[in-house]
Amino acid sequence: MSSEFDLDLTEEAEQRPFNMAYFLRILSYTKPYTKEVIKVAALMLFGVISNIVDPLIFRYAIDEGIAKKNLRLLGVLAVVMVVRLLAVKYAARAQTRGTHEIGQSILYDLRQNLFNRVQGLPFSFFDHRPVGKILSRITNDVNHIQVLASSVVLNVVSQLVSLVGIIAIVLYLNWKMALLSFTTLPFLVWVLTKVRWSLEKAWGDTRKAVAEINAHLNETVQGLQVIQAFGREEANNEKFAKGNKKYFKAHMRAILIDQAFWPLTDFIGAVGTALVIWYGAREFVAGRMSYGLIVAFVDYLGKFWRPINTFSRVWSQVLSAMASAERVFGIIDLQTEQEESMAMARKAAGAEAATASTDAEAGGDEPVVKLQALPRITGEVRFEDVSFGYRADIPVLHGVNLHVKPGETIALVGPTGAGKTTIINLLARFYIATSGRVLVDGYDLATVDLPTYRSQLGMVLQDTFIFSGTIMENLRFGKLDATQEEIEKAVEAACAKGFIEQLPGKYEAEVKERGTNLSSGQRQLLAFARALLADPRILILDEATSSIDPETERLIQQAMKTLLKGRTSFIIAHRLSTVRAADRILVIDDGRIVEEGTHDQLVSTGGHYAQLYEAQFKKQERHTDHIVQNG
């Protein structure tokens, strides 16, 4: 299995050395379509044989028909050629259709497999990978593998059969002329290897230059407001001009090599043909060779270069597919969250699993380790000496101990980077604690069946994500079978009814990608209603009211008293009104819980929270009192 480090090293590689294991794995995707592959291979073989036989028919027509003025034979051969042509055209059409059908089926299977895998990977995979590179794996890399599996292999086999057949026939027809024509072969091989590799590299440099231009253009469009605000248009133009110049030079170099490559191959082919015609003419004049044989031989010589040229081109595709396979299979081979949990469950089995394994070796059954499926939970949460770091060398949490009773509302406060969101991430089981345990109702989250847990978990994050579709579809994302009554109840409780009723179409109103046609406050209200509709046993609010105006927040605070009742809740907030509503406040600093208690208790102690209250919350409190007094 590839490590993440290995994956990073090969992110930009366009070609990798041939790998038999990857090659066989790619071919395994054709197994479900064996019958279709055999059919396409048979059609391809028919086309190859027909193509090889063609010059022999022409030779026979010239020597036995034209030379001997046998019109009847020419008529028969004409009919044979027409029938052959129609059969070849039909076979080629069926072959093309079959190849595309196999290719698209493989593409579907591989892309679906990769998508399912990516969707199940732990958050650590996405921490340091740009979205664009992940998208490239699912689109470009999968396409390269599909081409190799569906058409390249069959093409190589057909061209190999064609080459062997042509060599055998020309040697049979006239071995001296065949060997004479082969004298140009070393020069052609040199051109098809050395010069073609240079050409492939040149076009590869061009593609990289285009990718850099696109990346810079994308960054410019997204950051245009900042560029204009700081007056950086000229500097940005210069940066773009460098990338543009780089592409210009790379493209021109590729064109120059391309213009040298094809004339060289044509010239070598022409030299080989000239030698054959020179030798054949001498033999014809001497009466030792027929004119039909010379025509057939020249035709075979033209067909002879085609497979060799194809091999050089296909080999480049094979190496590109190897690079793509290394990246795609590297992702597919990574552990999903569920597999990560299974590994932790095996580890947790400890000595018991080791004993069972020994018994299995002695002839018993191999021990079966299953993930713990959670029943309906009460919401009791425990952190037992939990330490964690997103990177092994940079710890974020240090020995956190916490006990939260079912139905308790906990507020997490502290400076930026203190570890508040990390505690939430561990509770949501987006990550596994480096050491220690996170327990819910006594179940270790490292070894539970995640769907049975997360179906009882609701989250509203600061960076609210709204999907394209309708308001109703976004609300039902948390509960697909929700009734209209349940939806309206959740919407009203989240104070989202007002803005939804004003939208054209109301619940069926279309929402653009990421909810760009809604305000940030409306998006958060919608996300809040979505989480409440799921009726979670544990509710997580991470700056969920940061984009809501104070008046709307006041209404939500009233609703939350009922909504949070009987439900364990964790709230990260920088607003005093949200913090004061909590049963308990945890002050997080440098990855540790440094204080905990109610608002009044913490203010009276004069510690971290009291300082935070003086610096931030007191001003908010005066502002909120002013709003209340002025109605």
Side-chain angles (χ1 to χ4, degrees), residues 279-292 294:
Y279 181 83
R282 287 184 59 191
E283 294 296 294
F284 177 74
V285 170
R288 292 190 293 267
M289 186 177 294
S290 68
Y291 181 69
I294 297 172

Side-chain angles (χ1 to χ4, degrees), residues 452-464:
T452 63
Y453 171 58
R454 287 187 181 151
S455 64
Q456 304 183 67
L457 182 72
M459 295 188 74
V460 181
L461 306 177
Q462 181 179 9
D463 185 16
T464 301

